[in-house]
Amino acid sequence: MIRAAAAKFAAQPPVEVRNQARVHLWYQDHFGYAIEPLTDCRDSIAGFAARTHAVGVRLSDRDDIEICAPFGLENIFGLRLVPNPRHHNRDTHANKSLRCKELWPEIDVEPWPGFSVLDKAGASEDWPALLAMIRRAFAFMEGRIDPPSSLHRLNAAALAKKARDEICLLARSDEQVVGCVFCRPQADHLYIGKMAVEPHRQGQGIGRWLMISAEDQARWLGLPAIELETRIELTENHAAFARMGFTPTGQTSHPGYDRPTSITMRKSL
């Protein structure tokens, strides 16, 4: 089919015919790791090596131009080549960066991060290992927050159920989970919870990419904002989320407390 289609088109501009529905059948042999079957064209576009390139255009039956841009168009107009660490596409991004720089020397290229993000947790996930990582990330809260974290009541089986009921995004490095975030769709926002980064990997941009991936999920669900709660005592978290674009919208109290124990923060998309 590819060869037959190639014979129908002139050499320029290049036209390639690809059957995206079959990608998962050969992907592991070609790239060295498996991916889930693609569900539609948008799912395929969202997996491109660069977020900047993740744009599709088609002519509708009404003769309108339809644009699919799961990560928006800002990077194109801002002349930024931004990686998309959804899959292990480091080499592809590097090759595309060199070619783009030759064509457009003025563009800025963001390097590939040392991890992949947006691997959704599956049934075979090592839940005890993931729970242990979250506990290490949350250990700094011990003795600082009152009441204690609900993490103390969470076991591996409950974590697996939480991942089934919500959207669990993982950051992986060398096949090890180094970060996670759980997302729960609400009526007018995507709620962000249990965001954790392996302590010795903090400061490497993992949290930033987890939050970017959560924002992507909200946009794909048609939700206008993301929201989270952070404890009153953790002022450094308040500052970190503010740098990410969150603003305080209210305070809540845990059952049995007559004072605020958490701050609600929201970011419009």
Side-chain angles (χ1 to χ4, degrees):
M1 184 60 69
I2 291 172
R3 287 192 295 269
K8 303 292 185 182
F9 296 98
Q12 294 296 330
V15 175
E16 296 178 347
V17 174
R18 294 291 185 267
N19 186 346
Q20 296 294 299
R22 295 179 58 85
V23 168
H24 65 286
L25 299 178
W26 53 260
Y27 199 93
Q28 184 166 12
D29 290 339
H30 190 75
F31 291 105
Y33 70 99
I35 63 170
E36 294 294 320
L38 300 170
T39 57
D40 53 28
C41 290
R42 186 182 72 167
D43 195 22
S44 173
I45 291 170
F48 286 4
R51 294 168 69 90
T52 311
H53 294 155
V55 179
V57 181
R58 69 181 176 190
L59 195 64
S60 74
D61 295 337
R62 303 181 305 277
D63 228 22
D64 297 326
I65 291 177
E66 296 179 353
I67 297 177
C68 173
F71 306 120
L73 300 172
E74 291 83 1
N75 290 321
I76 290 179
F77 293 109
L79 300 178
R80 296 183 299 270
L81 189 63
V82 180
N84 178 27
R86 182 179 183 183
H87 302 305
H88 303 299
N89 283 329
R90 178 192 297 271
D91 292 343
T92 301
H93 178 67
N95 293 333
K96 287 181 177 292
S97 298
L98 292 174
R99 191 168 69 209
C100 288
K101 267 294 192 182
E102 290 177 357
L103 295 170
W104 303 287
E106 68 273 24
I107 68 171
D108 292 323
V109 176
E110 183 173 330
W112 191 268
F115 45 85
S116 62
V117 178
L118 232 174
D119 291 334
K120 294 185 181 180
S124 61
E125 196 65 45
D126 187 345
W127 301 111
L130 179 58
L131 180 60
M133 187 278 292
I134 298 173
R135 285 175 172 163
R136 288 192 294 272
F138 281 31
F140 79 100
M141 301 180 189
E142 292 296 324
R144 293 186 59 189
I145 61 173
D146 181 36
S149 171
S150 60
L151 186 62
H152 292 290
R153 303 189 299 274
L154 196 63
N155 58 31
L159 188 65
K161 183 179 184 304
K162 183 177 178 67
R164 291 194 302 270
D165 295 342
E166 302 178 13
I167 302 170
C168 176
L169 306 179
L170 303 178
R172 300 180 187 273
S173 178
D174 297 325
E175 303 306 317
Q176 299 295 316
V177 175
V178 294
C180 70
V181 64
F182 286 77
C183 311
R184 188 171 69 247
Q186 301 294 301
D188 66 343
H189 67 273
L190 187 68
Y191 181 78
I192 308 299
K194 292 292 183 289
M195 180 176 171
V197 176
E198 188 73 72
H200 73 276
R201 298 297 301 268
Q202 293 175 8
Q204 300 178 9
I206 296 173
R208 168 179 169 260
W209 274 105
L210 285 168
M211 195 62 74
I212 288 172
S213 299
E215 292 175 13
D216 293 338
Q217 293 291 317
R219 291 189 182 95
W220 295 342
L221 292 169
L223 297 172
I226 55 177
E227 192 171 283
L228 55 81
E229 290 185 355
T230 180
R231 292 299 189 92
I232 289 285
E233 299 91 343
L234 304 179
T235 54
E236 65 272 39
N237 283 7
H238 308 169
F241 291 132
R243 288 192 295 271
M244 294 181 185
F246 286 85
T247 56
T249 59
Q251 297 180 341
T252 57
S253 302
H254 283 75
Y257 286 75
D258 59 1
R259 61 171 178 83
T261 54
S262 296
I263 296 177
T264 300
M265 303 187 75
R266 187 179 181 97
K267 180 179 180 179
S268 298
L269 304 176

